[in-house]
Amino acid sequence: MKVMPELPEMETVRKGLEQLVVGKVIEKVTVHWPRIIEEPDVPLFCQLLKGQRILAIQRRGKFLIFKL
């Protein structure tokens, strides 16, 4: 059974990721569940993300938003 993390846990994850990845450039993208990518198709999605710099990580509810 998968359990959705609570909001304080998500904020902890956000802060940890922020320290690790903000300012880094995406070198490779792997999509494990292709059905969640509606548009563009998966190969184009991966191509568009490659080379993007992560500027910030924000949280909206239990979702993490990566600003590129």
Side-chain angles (χ1 to χ4, degrees), residues 27-51:
E27 294 179 1
K28 180 180 176 184
V29 178
T30 303
V31 177
H32 293 283
W33 298 287
R35 291 184 4 201
I36 69 168
I37 309 296
E38 188 171 314
E39 280 189 32
D41 61 13
V42 173
L44 181 57
F45 176 81
C46 294
Q47 180 184 345
L48 291 172
L49 285 178
K50 188 174 176 181

Side-chain angles (χ1 to χ4, degrees), residues 1-60:
M1 180 171 113
K2 292 185 180 181
V3 178
M4 188 66 135
E6 296 298 325
L7 287 178
E9 293 169 345
M10 289 304 297
E11 185 60 19
T12 300
V13 169
R14 186 197 68 76
K15 287 179 181 179
L17 281 173
E18 187 174 58
Q19 292 177 355
L20 290 173
V21 301
V22 168
K24 303 284 172 107
V25 174
I26 298 171
E27 294 179 1
K28 180 180 176 184
V29 178
T30 303
V31 177
H32 293 283
W33 298 287
R35 291 184 4 201
I36 69 168
I37 309 296
E38 188 171 314
E39 280 189 32
D41 61 13
V42 173
L44 181 57
F45 176 81
C46 294
Q47 180 184 345
L48 291 172
L49 285 178
K50 188 174 176 181
Q52 294 287 320
R53 183 174 304 277
I54 300 171
L55 302 176
I57 301 175
Q58 300 173 337
R59 183 182 58 79
R60 171 156 267 164

